Amino acid sequence: MQTHILHELTWRGLLAQRTHQDELDQLLASPGVRLYCGFDPSNSSLTIGNLVPLMCLVFFWRHGHRPIALVGGATGRIGDPGGKSAERNLLSDEQIQYNLSCIQRQIEQIIARARTLHPETLPPGGGAHTIDMANNADWMAPWSFLDFLRDVGKLFRVNTMLTKDSVRSRLENREQGISYTEFSYMLIQAYDFFHLFEQEGCVLQVGGNDQWGNITAGTDLIHKKTGQTAYGVTFPLLTTASGEKIGKSEKGAIWLDPERTSPYEFYQYWIQRQDADVIQLLKTFTFLSEEELRAAQADLDAGKNKGQLQQRLAQEVTDLIHGPEETQKAIRASRMLFGEAIQDVNDALLNQIFADVPSTSLERQRLFAGLDLIDLLVEAQLCASKGEARRLIKQGGAYVNNSRQDDNTPLTEAHLASESMLVLRSGKKTYHVVRFR
RNA sequence: GGUGGGAUGCCCGAGCGGCUAAAGGGGACGGGCUGUAAACCCGUUGGCAUUGCCUACGAUGGUUCGAAUCCAUCUCCCACCA
């Protein structure tokens, strides 16, 4: 990879703001720049949204720079006021510790996958070094409050802090306000940058655009303490064409943890993106080259995309997060689910395909007498009430083994798709497996 | 502390004594078209039941044959004044 990292970030649409434009260009022109990005341990899993900074670190890495992924063991105890409309509840230390280890594992796994699946992401020379991990609790914990106020707090002007967006938006909202604790968040993040600057020669911090205030607080601190220059780069906060945040489905966030968002759901999330978003998503979340993406854009403009781009996107991202094996399963399940009627299958196959699909287990006897479809839809929680189930059937949205049920004919053993299983579907996309024992 | 205004279904919002399970919009859901897309079109959107019943318009009481609509008290919001 010979091109300039800032060039790559630009064409990927991942460059929002940066400090010292020309100087930074020059600095990044030669490899080996030490940089970092922070990850917040407010949850035990990262989401697709958190994947953006991680991708950025990998992009920097492939250009021969040396990223550090910092998990915020210390900052997590405080809470970043940025992007939050309300004060957040503090997490217990045990919780933070747990979250930290989970997130760290996720990050490491993704980096490892990027290495093996995408050799092109490796830095020139094959990547002797990897992306390093750090935890700011390691250097924040020993500080006493008084020492921190004397050595670090003294260098911050409250007047300046008040102008930062993250703080200002909370001050303007009189209902919510901001606690002294969250107000101080900025100092810690700024100090992190200073510490890494001193100890690791880390001269650049990257982050989402909402981190701009915290990043510049860090560069200011470094300048005050050392007289030297440090840099900051932010990427835009991505939204869909219709203005929603990326990575939120109706049901909530898309998690990287397979326990929370199954690989099948994860894959489906990407498949279901609309054309207007797919190019930006490919640019952000895959390693496709500029040429490939230009070709993709051309196809799209020519009206030639028939969902292939979404498929490519889903496959690439699921590979990276869950590995090729899980991706293949998700693809197989998707083919089956969105294909023809389900027949000539056995339990083993269905179990495999529907491994991630919610299921209900019922007494086999209930089939002998004829099982009421309305009751079943409610029991499987595909419908909230019998009225809703009736409506669903009437409107033609109820399916058994992918074949539409026009009326409430009782189900019998003849409806089993395999030895003991039956596949319910509501609408086009919502599946539920019923097992009879 | 004073004076006004408000609280309606998932959300916004009309209704201001019977025709109100409550207009309209959004969202959501289902169908159609398509590519598991968008846009668009159609339909549904309190619960239970075979024309009926029950629960609902901040809470509690009251007036009335009849209340989301009138009255009283309470709770919570919002605006202006001090």
Side-chain angles (χ1 to χ4, degrees), chain A residues 164-182:
Chain A
K164 306 277 184 186
D165 274 350
S166 57
V167 173
R168 210 179 52 206
S169 63
R170 289 278 290 278
L171 287 177
E172 282 166 1
N173 183 351
R174 283 189 293 151
E175 289 297 300
Q176 288 300 338
I178 183 170
S179 68
Y180 184 76
T181 303
E182 285 196 14

Side-chain angles (χ1 to χ4, degrees), chain A residues 78-325:
Chain A
I78 303 301
D80 183 357
K84 300 275 191 308
S85 57
E87 185 85 11
R88 63 163 128 167
N89 295 324
L90 293 177
L91 299 173
S92 71
D93 287 353
E94 296 76 50
Q95 187 67 56
I96 291 170
Q97 206 46 50
Y98 174 74
N99 292 351
L100 220 55
S101 62
C102 294
I103 286 173
Q104 196 153 351
R105 204 172 324 122
Q106 285 184 333
I107 293 174
E108 282 167 349
Q109 196 174 38
I110 292 167
I111 294 169
R113 284 236 175 74
R115 280 184 93 108
T116 52
L117 296 176
H118 296 277
E120 77 277 15
T121 62
L122 294 177
H129 58 79
T130 178
I131 295 178
D132 296 318
M133 302 289 298
N135 179 353
N136 58 10
D138 293 345
W139 57 83
M140 282 312 304
W143 276 99
S144 82
F145 184 58
L146 289 179
D147 287 341
F148 192 77
L149 285 182
R150 286 177 65 94
D151 289 3
V152 181
K154 195 70 176 169
L155 297 171
F156 282 79
R157 304 276 90 193
V158 169
N159 312 51
T160 314
M161 292 170 73
L162 290 177
T163 64
K164 306 277 184 186
D165 274 350
S166 57
V167 173
R168 210 179 52 206
S169 63
R170 289 278 290 278
L171 287 177
E172 282 166 1
N173 183 351
R174 283 189 293 151
E175 289 297 300
Q176 288 300 338
I178 183 170
S179 68
Y180 184 76
T181 303
E182 285 196 14
F183 179 62
S184 315
Y185 176 90
M186 193 186 303
L187 273 67
I188 314 225
Q189 187 165 336
Y191 183 79
D192 285 344
F193 196 178
F194 168 73
H195 175 91
L196 291 172
F197 179 86
E198 292 274 277
Q199 301 300 312
E200 300 281 341
C202 177
V203 292
L204 171 65
Q205 182 182 173
V206 301
N209 209 216
D210 57 342
Q211 293 298 311
W212 181 252
N214 292 330
I215 292 174
T216 52
T219 59
D220 286 350
L221 178 66
I222 290 167
H223 188 76
K224 279 182 186 157
K225 280 185 97 81
T226 70
Q228 297 181 60
T229 306
Y231 307 85
V233 167
T234 64
F235 41 82
L237 299 178
L238 302 175
T239 54
T240 67
S242 41
E244 293 130 6
K245 255 194 188 165
I246 296 271
K248 291 254 190 271
S249 72
E250 294 72 31
K251 291 176 194 105
I254 306 294
W255 303 97
L256 303 192
D257 180 352
E259 296 296 318
R260 295 224 231 171
T261 300
S262 70
Y264 168 74
E265 286 173 282
F266 188 86
Y267 180 84
Q268 284 290 321
Y269 172 80
W270 299 103
I271 279 281
Q272 290 168 13
R273 294 308 90 200
Q274 60 187 66
D275 284 7
D277 294 326
V278 73
I279 297 289
Q280 181 59 56
L281 292 172
L282 283 164
K283 284 177 178 172
T284 308
F285 293 106
T286 73
F287 300 107
L288 299 200
S289 69
E290 197 174 2
E291 295 72 49
E292 286 177 281
L293 280 160
R294 211 176 292 131
Q297 180 73 63
D299 278 358
L300 197 64
D301 292 342
K304 280 201 284 190
N305 181 39
K306 292 272 188 268
Q308 297 92 327
L309 292 176
Q310 282 84 343
Q311 277 174 32
R312 182 75 196 272
L313 173 69
Q315 185 241 311
E316 290 282 339
V317 187
T318 313
D319 267 355
L320 183 66
I321 303 304
H322 297 298
E325 206 173 304

